[in-house]
Each structure stands twice: as structure tokens, then as C-alpha cells.
Amino acid sequence: MIGHCASAIGIDAPHEYGPRRAGDAVALVSGSQRACDELGWIAERLTLGLMFADPWRWHQTGGYSG
């Protein structure tokens, strides 16, 4: 995840790997099939690069100002 994010935004953020903390998830799994089935939603951002680049671009242009 860190590598995909760094590639998408062009910044290699400092980070440290350490032991899992109490309460940290062992694994994270997601999918969009239920949203598609129940809401008719269709995913447009199909790669991690796009998923990171879009909000970064939004943030760089001022983001939410409300």
C-alpha cells in the first residue's frame, strides 16, 4: 500500500514498520459486488494508483472548503 501511494502521488513519505498493536486488524478485505448488486453502483477507479491519485489531486487543489 505504501509503495502504491508513493507512486501515485510522487512522494515517498517516511514510515516505519513495527509490530501490530492491540486492536489492529490481522487482514483487511473489501469488495464492491454488494454495492453493485444492491445499488447498481459501478466502480470507476479500478487500480490502487487511481484510488490514491484522485483524492491527492483533490487535496492539492484545495479540497473541501466548507
Side-chain angles (χ1 to χ4, degrees):
M1 294 299 279
I2 293 170
H4 285 287
C5 184
S7 293
I9 68 173
I11 297 173
D12 190 14
H15 59 277
E16 294 181 20
Y17 292 99
R20 224 174 30 132
R21 303 163 297 180
D24 282 351
V26 175
L28 301 174
V29 179
S30 69
S32 58
Q33 190 61 52
R34 185 173 177 190
C36 182
D37 293 345
E38 294 182 18
L39 304 173
W41 179 78
I42 299 172
E44 295 178 0
R45 307 300 186 261
L46 300 177
T47 68
L48 285 174
L50 288 173
M51 291 175 203
F52 285 120
D54 283 351
W56 179 251
R57 187 172 35 258
W58 175 82
H59 175 74
Q60 293 300 100
T61 58
Y64 177 72
S65 60

